[in-house]
Amino acid sequence: AQSVTQLGSHVSVSEGALVLLRCNYSSSVPPYLFWYVQYPNQGLQLLLKYTTGATLVKGINGFEAEFKKSETSFHLTKPSAHMSDAAEYFCAVSGEGGSKSTFGDGTTLTVKP
Amino acid sequence: DTGVSQDPRHKITKRGQNVTFRCDPISEHNRLYWYRQTLGQGPEFLTYFQNEAQLEKSRLLSDRFSAERPKGSFSTLEIQRTEQGDSAMYLCASSLEIPNTEAFFGQGTRLTVV
């Protein structure tokens, strides 16, 4: 069965520093990979997605992620953190068993002034 | 288009009562999903519809849970005889009928069972 592991349930960075949120997946078929952001008491908003083609994917708000098949990873990065980036981030995979997604447990990003 | 809409946003109920939640998907989306999210966890898949047909149900969806999408538009999720363990955020999402495309999520219904 497909699965997602997000390494580090909490990540803290200073404003202006690099953001790196880690995601590893498992899938028996070519994966479709997503990063979502969730603000308190809100639903999930798509940041970016990988389907096929270019392995470096750019998303909204300056985020990007790179699909590395050999490492089964899809880490999320942003060169310079902003206070408004503080939120919870979820990595998800789909591909097995239809269109439903399997989510990781999330990483809470804190941005210090 | 106003996105995926869920009602109510918050629900507090006593153990043993029945509750019903509503989800209005994005109008051109014919796929609709229900997920449950508990504190500190990612969303867990419950069920999904393509038009009015319920195509898949998770083993998480006990007999006390039922979902409908009678006309292929809005959907309802009913929980009968609620238990404290049902306390969670219930998220609805919708998508186009394209394999593995992204889903658009509503703001969720937070259920508290006391």
Side-chain angles (χ1 to χ4, degrees):
Chain A
Q2 61 191 16
S3 66
V4 171
T5 301
Q6 292 185 238
L7 300 173
S9 58
H10 292 85
V11 170
S12 181
V13 301
S14 297
E15 192 173 18
L18 171 72
V19 175
L20 170 61
L21 304 183
R22 300 178 187 274
C23 171
N24 288 89
Y25 70 90
S26 172
S27 177
S28 62
V29 300
Y32 294 78
L33 296 158
F34 309 88
W35 275 100
Y36 289 88
V37 61
Q38 186 178 35
Y39 297 97
N41 295 311
Q42 300 292 317
L44 280 70
Q45 179 185 6
L46 182 72
L47 281 176
L48 50 79
K49 64 180 180 180
Y50 168 80
T51 54
T52 59
T55 56
L56 183 62
V57 179
K58 294 187 184 299
I60 63 171
N61 301 338
F63 284 95
E64 61 182 38
E66 186 171 10
F67 170 62
K68 292 187 176 181
K69 183 179 178 181
S70 61
E71 298 178 8
T72 60
S73 69
F74 191 57
H75 301 331
L76 181 71
T77 60
K78 181 174 180 177
S80 176
H82 191 273
M83 296 298 290
S84 61
D85 295 327
E88 189 152 23
Y89 292 79
F90 292 95
C91 181
V93 63
S94 70
E96 289 182 17
S99 294
K100 66 179 184 289
S101 290
T102 300
F103 288 81
D105 285 338
T107 297
T108 300
L109 176 65
T110 301
V111 182
K112 298 175 292 186
Chain B
D1 190 0
T2 57
V4 179
S5 176
Q6 291 189 246
D7 183 70
R9 292 290 312 279
H10 303 274
K11 178 71 177 179
I12 300 175
T13 190
K14 293 183 178 179
R15 191 171 45 189
Q17 298 294 304
N18 299 344
V19 295
T20 300
F21 310 141
R22 177 179 170 124
C23 171
D24 288 88
I26 293 172
S27 57
E28 62 266 30
H29 288 181
N30 51 12
R31 285 188 174 169
L32 185 148
Y33 308 80
W34 285 98
Y35 288 84
R36 180 171 66 188
Q37 184 180 23
T38 53
L39 202 61
Q41 305 289 320
E44 294 175 296
F45 170 78
L46 292 178
T47 188
Y48 101 92
F49 293 83
Q50 182 158 306
N51 300 313
E52 65 276 10
Q54 188 173 20
L55 296 187
E56 187 173 351
K57 293 195 295 186
S58 164
R59 283 173 291 179
L60 292 175
L61 212 63
S62 77
D63 293 345
R64 297 183 297 106
F65 288 69
S66 62
E68 294 183 341
R69 195 183 183 197
K71 297 182 180 179
S73 57
F74 73 91
S75 176
T76 59
L77 178 68
E78 180 182 16
I79 308 174
Q80 296 182 327
R81 305 181 303 281
T82 52
E83 301 172 357
Q84 286 191 319
D86 297 331
S87 296
M89 175 80 90
Y90 290 84
L91 293 166
C92 176
S94 68
S95 74
L96 295 169
E97 191 178 340
I98 299 172
N100 302 301
T101 189
E102 71 271 26
F104 292 80
F105 283 79
Q107 292 187 309
T109 295
R110 181 166 294 284
L111 172 66
T112 302
V113 182
V114 297

